Amino acid sequence: MITGATSGIGAACARAFAGSGYDLILTGRNVQSLDSLSGELRAVGAEVTELVFDVRDRGAAASAVASLTGRWQDIDVLVNNAGLALGLDKEYEGDPDEWETMIDTNIKGLLTMTRLLVPRMVERNSGHVINIGSVAGDAAYAGGAVYCATKSAVKALTDGLRIDVAHTAVRVTNVKPGLVETNFSRVRFHGDEGRAASVYRGIQPLTGDDIADVVLYAANAPQHVQIAEVLVLATHQANGTVIHRED
C-alpha cells in the first residue's frame, strides 16, 4: 500500500514496485489521477486496488482499509508517503490553517495508517513500514519550522515503532530525501511555478524515481536485514541548508 500515490515520490514508488512484481493498493484523493496510474500499472501486469480518501480523515481511512477483502488485507509493505509542505513563512507569521494541514497530513495521517495496518502485520509476524521522512527532519531551516517539526516527528515515530515491533519480524524504515524535483514545491508555493522552479536552480536535484529506487531496495532486502534509515541527497547538497548551485 502506497499513500499519496498519485504524483511525485508516491507515483514513482508505485511504478517501481509494479516493475518488481508487487501488486498494489494505491491511495489518494484524486480519482482521475488514481485511475490513470492504475491503468498504466495494470498494462504492465500489476494487480491494482484503488482506495480514494484523505489520510487526514481517520474515519474515511478506516472505512477504506475495512473495505479490503481476501489477500488484500495482508499488506506486505506500507509506504507512508502522503505529505506536504505549505508556505515558507517565519514561525510567528505563519498561517495556522497551513500548520494544521501539514500536521494532520504528515503526522496524524501517518499515525492513522500505521494504527490501521501494523496490528495485522504484528499478528502475522511479517510486514514492512517505510515512512517517507525528509532531511528537513534533521534540523530546522528558515521559514520551514512547522514542516521541519512534522518531519522530525516522522523520525521519532519511525524510531519508536521500530522499538515497539522489535520482538517481531516487522521491519521499519525511514527514507529521508533532500531536494527532489516533484510537485512538492508547487504545492508549497500554491502553484507559483517561478518560485517553485527557483528551488532547483543551479543544481541537479533528485527525482521521484531516485527515491523509489531506495524504497524498493529497502523493501527487497533479505528478511534479516532492516534498513533503519537512509538520508538521500543530491550530489551538491550537503544537508538541509548547504547547497552548491552553479551559476
Side-chain angles (χ1 to χ4, degrees):
M1 177 182 284
I2 301 169
T3 67
T6 54
S7 65
I9 292 171
C13 285
R15 294 184 179 100
F17 276 92
S20 192
Y22 285 78
D23 295 326
L24 299 164
I25 301 169
L26 304 180
T27 88
R29 296 175 297 169
N30 188 310
V31 177
Q32 288 184 324
S33 296
L34 274 179
D35 285 346
S36 176
L37 179 59
S38 297
E40 174 192 332
L41 300 179
R42 290 185 181 113
V44 297
E47 291 191 39
V48 183
T49 290
E50 302 171 30
L51 297 178
V52 181
F53 65 92
D54 188 330
V55 296
R56 293 178 295 170
D57 187 334
R58 188 184 308 158
S63 295
V65 170
S67 73
L68 298 171
T69 59
R71 69 185 183 89
W72 293 103
Q73 294 177 308
D74 293 328
I75 293 163
D76 299 299
V77 181
L78 166 63
V79 181
N80 273 317
N81 166 73
L84 77 168
L86 292 172
L88 202 61
D89 301 313
K90 295 181 186 298
E91 186 174 330
Y92 61 87
E93 295 176 339
D95 183 338
D97 290 335
E98 291 185 347
W99 297 346
E100 287 191 7
T101 298
M102 287 186 281
I103 291 167
D104 289 350
T105 305
N106 300 358
I107 301 176
K108 293 182 181 178
L110 179 146
L111 277 171
T112 292
M113 299 311 299
T114 300
R115 181 65 180 85
L116 290 171
L117 298 185
V118 172
R120 194 173 179 97
M121 292 182 179
V122 170
E123 181 182 327
R124 289 167 31 226
N125 197 35
S126 175
H128 196 164
V129 179
I130 302 176
N131 293 330
I132 305 301
S134 173
V135 64
D138 290 347
Y141 55 74
V146 175
Y147 174 69
C148 293
T150 67
K151 289 303 183 177
S152 293
V154 170
K155 174 176 171 52
L157 292 171
T158 307
D159 291 346
L161 180 62
R162 193 180 306 110
I163 293 166
D164 290 340
V165 299
H167 65 292
T168 76
V170 177
R171 300 183 294 180
V172 184
T173 299
N174 185 16
V175 176
K176 306 187 302 184
L179 279 177
V180 184
E181 189 167 13
T182 62
N183 200 40
F184 177 86
S185 290
R186 284 189 293 275
V187 171
R188 172 169 235 165
F189 298 125
H190 306 286
D192 186 330
E193 296 285 349
R195 196 174 180 192
S198 70
V199 173
Y200 312 107
R201 176 187 52 78
I203 185 172
Q204 182 175 346
L206 302 168
T207 67
D209 290 339
D210 295 325
I211 305 307
D213 286 344
V214 176
V215 172
L216 185 64
Y217 174 81
N220 285 343
Q223 287 301 306
H224 70 288
V225 177
Q226 179 172 217
I227 308 299
E229 185 170 290
V230 185
L231 175 63
V232 191
L233 302 175
T235 298
H236 292 296
Q237 179 177 14
N239 55 32
T241 57
V242 178
I243 300 169
H244 174 73
R245 301 179 188 272
E246 300 288 347
D247 293 333

